[in-house]
Amino acid sequence: FPDGMIVTYEDLAQSNPKDNSVQVNERGNLWAIMFQKDTLSNYLASQLLANMGSTTATIANIGNLKFQIQNKSNFDPTKDSLFTFAINDSIAFISEFNSNKLLSDLAGKPKSSLQSILVNYPGIEKADAIVRPFWKQSFPNNPKSITLTVINP
């Protein structure tokens, strides 16, 4: 995050002038606030999304978030180990779920039970089932015969 970078400069001993030139010596230090993507994603999901349970989530638009250190002018990365920050943007989460378990849960069940099965998958916002031929009213008994297509918004 650009606002998570802090640059400090330190004057160093100056070189002796040669002819009509002088070399100015300084040291620059770059401090960067970084998070593990999955840790930040799961923390924010647990704070912002209701009923996530043990479902994990990933922030889809993490590169576009506006991260800001609060009171940045008073924060010294060489001395302070804690800081307050804000993320001022809409966060898009992609929920992760065990697709093999979902397929097993659907196998052999009536198509009408789809919504009651999805109660165990709080990260799935919406699901539609197409069973072919159209007169069949249940999912195939073999989970490998079920095709699952995930569409991320």
Side-chain angles (χ1 to χ4, degrees), residues 6 8 31-33 75-81:
I6 299 168
T8 60
W31 304 88
I33 306 298
F75 176 63
D76 182 351
T78 62
K79 296 176 186 170
D80 299 328
S81 59

Side-chain angles (χ1 to χ4, degrees), residues 60-77:
N61 60 334
I62 198 162
N64 298 328
L65 298 180
K66 294 177 183 93
F67 171 89
Q68 182 179 21
I69 297 174
Q70 304 295 302
N71 299 320
K72 187 174 182 178
S73 59
N74 297 328
F75 176 63
D76 182 351

Side-chain angles (χ1 to χ4, degrees), residues 1 4 15-16 24 33 41 56 70-71 124 129 142 147 153:
F1 299 108
S15 303
N16 292 328
V24 177
I33 306 298
S41 295
T56 59
Q70 304 295 302
N71 299 320
I124 297 176
N142 184 348
T147 302

Side-chain angles (χ1 to χ4, degrees), residues 18-81:
K18 290 183 181 177
D19 300 324
N20 288 334
S21 66
V22 66
Q23 181 176 338
V24 177
N25 298 311
E26 280 197 63
R27 175 181 299 143
N29 296 299
L30 172 66
W31 304 88
I33 306 298
M34 293 186 268
F35 301 96
Q36 288 184 321
K37 183 178 180 179
D38 58 341
T39 303
L40 180 63
S41 295
N42 286 320
Y43 174 76
L44 291 175
S46 73
Q47 299 298 306
L48 300 173
L49 302 177
N51 302 321
M52 281 299 288
S54 62
T55 303
T56 59
T58 301
I59 299 173
N61 60 334
I62 198 162
N64 298 328
L65 298 180
K66 294 177 183 93
F67 171 89
Q68 182 179 21
I69 297 174
Q70 304 295 302
N71 299 320
K72 187 174 182 178
S73 59
N74 297 328
F75 176 63
D76 182 351
T78 62
K79 296 176 186 170
D80 299 328
S81 59

Side-chain angles (χ1 to χ4, degrees), residues 77-98:
T78 62
K79 296 176 186 170
D80 299 328
S81 59
L82 299 175
F83 65 94
T84 304
F85 67 93
I87 293 178
N88 299 310
D89 211 337
S90 295
I91 301 175
F93 290 101
I94 296 176
S95 177
E96 298 172 15
F97 63 94
N98 185 332

